[in-house]
Structures are given as C-alpha cells and as structure tokens.
Amino acid sequence: EAGVTQFPSHSVIEKGQTVTLRCDPISGHDNLYWYRRVMGKEIKFLLHFVKESKQDESGMPNNRFLAERTGGTYSTLKVQPAELEDSGVYFCASSQVSLATGEPGNTIYFGEGSWLTVV
Amino acid sequence: QKEVEQNSGPLSVPEGAIASLNCTYSDRGSQSFFWYRQYSGKSPELIMSIYSNGDKEDGRFTAQLNKASQYVSLLIRDSQPSDSATYLCAVTGRYSSASKIIFGSGTRLSIRP
C-alpha cells in the first residue's frame, strides 16, 4: 500500500515567487494534515482537512498560504508570494480517523516532506 | 512556556545500554501522547503511543506517562546504533485542539558503538 506522497521533494524559489506543494494521502484516509518545520524550530501544525472541508486551520501563518483539497482526495498548499521565512520542510500527513476522537490506536502517517528554500 | 518541552541533546548512550528520553507538556487536558523517531532528512515515524497513566511496552521500547506530573518518557533498552536519530515527543489536546498534534523540538540520540 502506498504511503503519503508529496511533491516536489525539494524546491528552490526566489522571494516573491509562488510555489505549490502537493500531497496525496493514503487511499481511504479522509483526514489530511499539513505541518511544517522551519529551521531550528519544532514541527508546527498548519491545518486539518476532513474530506474536502477545513476542520481546523488555526496554524496557517498568514493569508499568503492557501490550502485546498478539492474532491477530498489530494491536497495542495500554495505559498504566494513566498518570503524568506517560509523556508523549511512541509509535511503532509493523513489518518483514517480524526485524532479528535482520541481513540487508542489512532495515528497519523507522515509523508517524506517537501523541502522549500526561498532565496 | 513551550507546549511540549524536550531536552535537545545530544544524548550519547553506549551500545547495549538503556536510553532514557523525557518530555513535559503544558496542557493538562492533553489526551494522547506519542513518540516519533526521525532520521535526518526523513519523515517522522511513530514508534509509541500511550493514552493512560503507567507504562506501555513494545519490544525494546517502553513509554511511561504520568498525567499528574504532565510527564512522558521513552526508554530504549539494548540500544543499537540504528536507534541514533531525533526523537520527537508529541501530544494532542482536548476538544477544539484535539485534531492537531503538538510536537516538541526533539532530542537527538546518539548510540556509540
């Protein structure tokens, strides 16, 4: 079974440009999460989709970030315009059941991440 | 105060010894607790989850949870060089914040042969 896949794995763009990151969750997982880790910091939550709906977007840093999940399958995270401080690794994760249920055994699976460098 | 605190390390442990990793969290309402292992340049990989007070053992790994002290630990017995990685402590909150995992900054563990 394929895991969570992300594209591109690495991206180098200039300040002011646009980048779109894509995530394909594990098949059948309704819950999709975006996280990011900027240099020297801990991994931070960005947002959570349940199917195509945004369940929690409290971690989105500002309106330069736009996440979509049309049709409830894959998701994109667009950064426009990119700033230097956006550099980091963006992780996508998915789960079959929402973490909010607190059920033992519930877990999320992470992709390998998209490494973004803004110069 | 950080929501999840870990000693950044590095923690150096001889091969075959027990590695002890510690974590404290600030939200007393936290429900679920996880330990992830992350190799350099790779994604976090779940190695242990624990939901109630006490110990939980899985192979060479034992997670310990003390909700009264807001403390979580991970013990790795018979440490192997392949255990060298960054270990991330993570928790989920209650209710509105339960949909997201809050990570600590990680502890770097080095197992020396």
Side-chain angles (χ1 to χ4, degrees):
Chain A
E1 179 183 350
V4 177
T5 57
Q6 294 187 243
F7 181 84
S9 58
H10 291 80
S11 182
V12 180
I13 63 171
E14 293 184 351
K15 176 182 172 182
Q17 288 186 320
T18 298
V19 63
T20 301
L21 310 177
R22 172 170 169 147
C23 169
D24 286 79
I26 293 173
S27 178
H29 283 193
D30 288 339
N31 295 274
L32 186 149
Y33 311 81
W34 283 98
Y35 287 79
R36 78 170 178 175
R37 185 170 198 165
V38 296
M39 186 67 71
K41 301 287 187 181
E42 60 270 21
I43 298 173
K44 289 277 196 182
F45 168 84
L46 296 179
L47 87 161
H48 168 210
F49 282 102
V50 177
K51 296 185 180 178
E52 68 275 9
S53 299
K54 292 176 184 175
Q55 182 78 13
D56 181 351
E57 53 184 329
S58 61
M60 295 289 265
N62 52 62
N63 59 10
R64 295 186 295 104
F65 290 76
L66 175 63
E68 295 180 320
R69 193 183 182 196
T70 306
T73 54
Y74 71 90
S75 174
T76 58
L77 178 65
K78 180 189 289 188
V79 185
Q80 178 183 29
E83 298 290 343
L84 299 178
E85 64 264 25
D86 300 332
S87 296
V89 56
Y90 290 77
F91 291 107
C92 177
S94 72
S95 67
Q96 193 165 30
V97 181
S98 170
L99 289 174
T101 66
E103 292 179 2
N106 192 15
T107 189
I108 69 174
Y109 299 89
F110 282 84
E112 292 285 303
S114 288
W115 296 76
L116 173 65
T117 302
V118 182
V119 296
Chain B
Q1 181 191 10
K2 287 186 177 180
E3 293 180 271
V4 178
E5 297 229 34
Q6 297 180 254
N7 188 321
S8 61
L11 174 65
S12 180
V13 173
E15 184 175 356
I18 295 176
S20 178
L21 304 163
N22 304 313
C23 169
T24 58
Y25 59 94
S26 62
D27 182 359
R28 190 169 287 278
S30 296
Q31 300 276 31
S32 307
F33 306 85
F34 309 95
W35 283 98
Y36 284 84
R37 177 177 62 199
Q38 187 176 25
Y39 294 112
S40 181
K42 297 295 185 181
S43 60
E45 173 194 9
L46 180 69
I47 53 172
M48 287 290 286
S49 56
I50 187 167
Y51 304 93
S52 55
N53 279 328
D55 295 0
K56 179 181 177 183
E57 187 174 319
D58 183 1
R60 296 186 296 111
F61 299 97
T62 299
Q64 299 173 317
L65 174 61
N66 183 327
K67 288 187 177 181
S69 300
Q70 294 174 237
Y71 176 87
V72 193
S73 66
L74 178 70
L75 300 178
I76 306 175
R77 290 181 299 281
D78 188 24
S79 297
Q80 303 296 309
S82 59
D83 295 327
S84 297
T86 296
Y87 288 79
L88 304 169
C89 174
V91 308
T92 59
R94 177 180 290 209
Y95 308 127
S96 63
S97 64
S99 65
K100 60 189 179 187
I101 293 180
I102 302 166
F103 285 89
S105 55
T107 298
R108 280 190 297 131
L109 174 65
S110 175
I111 307 300
R112 56 182 189 271

